Amino acid sequence: MFKALRKSFALVVLFLFNMALITLILNQQTESDKTQIDVQAKVPSPNRYSAKPSKQTQRRQVKQQLGLVFNVTHVHLNQAETVKLENKLKRLDITPFYSVEIFSGIVHHENNLPFPQTAKLRAQNVARIIYPYTQNVKMYYRPSLEEGQVIVEFIERQKPNN
């Protein structure tokens, strides 16, 4: 009885070891096939658009800006603003080599206090519309914008020289 139980346990352990080994080999194979994703943390600076361009601004070029206005209490775009954004996306012929930056303005809540969560939800809703065109979307909270205003910047990145 114990012999059969010991053999069953050994088979289960060997099976799990083989599965772990196969998974490790597959992960090693797929890691070498993946492309490197460029992730950078950005800190907003007051001299972002200064006269002397930095290396990062030399590599990219602002193609277009679009201003969107939300209703005071809504986090979703109204139909007219949605059509405006979709038309701009189609006109610019956005490809995955574009980068999009969304700047969301201040939203006041009860007692006239700023409420950044609503600004974030607004930027996320705009990003959902843009995402099928390019997945390189960055969102920023900019309290200096007027209440309910969202600015979308379309930036064309240089294609890799491979």
Side-chain angles (χ1 to χ4, degrees):
M1 170 100 172
F2 289 116
K3 206 178 223 186
L5 186 61
R6 213 176 314 148
K7 284 184 181 181
S8 298
F9 180 74
L11 284 174
V12 169
V13 168
L14 284 174
F15 176 74
L16 291 175
F17 178 75
N18 285 337
M19 290 300 294
L21 188 61
I22 290 171
T23 304
L24 179 67
I25 291 170
L26 287 175
N27 282 340
Q28 291 293 329
Q29 281 291 340
T30 55
E31 281 182 16
S32 64
D33 295 342
K34 290 182 182 176
T35 58
Q36 184 177 4
I37 299 174
D38 183 25
V39 177
Q40 297 176 353
K42 289 188 177 184
V43 178
S45 63
N47 60 356
R48 181 173 178 195
Y49 298 105
S50 64
K52 180 182 173 189
S54 66
K55 283 185 179 180
Q56 191 173 13
T57 57
Q58 287 175 351
R59 286 187 296 166
R60 62 184 192 176
Q61 174 184 34
V62 175
K63 295 297 280 185
Q64 220 39 314
Q65 273 191 348
L66 176 66
L68 301 172
V69 179
F70 281 81
N71 291 337
V72 176
T73 59
H74 294 102
V75 293
H76 295 284
L77 283 173
N78 62 24
Q79 187 65 29
E81 296 291 313
T82 303
V83 169
K84 183 173 149 182
L85 176 60
E86 288 173 348
N87 287 340
K88 179 67 86 173
L89 289 167
K90 289 175 186 171
R91 258 195 330 259
L92 287 176
D93 192 28
I94 302 293
T95 65
F97 291 106
Y98 274 79
S99 175
V100 177
E101 294 181 351
I102 303 170
F103 300 95
S104 185
I106 195 165
V107 178
H108 290 291
H109 195 56
E110 297 173 4
N111 299 330
N112 208 21
L113 296 174
F115 196 61
Q117 287 84 356
T118 303
K120 178 182 175 185
L121 289 172
R122 289 177 176 179
Q124 286 175 340
N125 282 306
V126 172
R128 284 187 187 104
I129 297 170
I130 296 169
Y131 193 75
Y133 296 90
T134 180
Q135 287 77 40
N136 192 359
V137 179
K138 296 178 180 121
M139 296 175 278
Y140 301 96
Y141 177 61
R142 185 174 284 172
S144 61
L145 292 175
E146 292 180 24
E147 185 171 359
Q149 185 177 10
V150 173
I151 295 177
V152 182
E153 284 186 1
F154 302 96
I155 303 162
E156 185 176 12
R157 296 183 297 161
Q158 293 180 352
K159 296 180 182 180
N161 296 332
N162 291 350

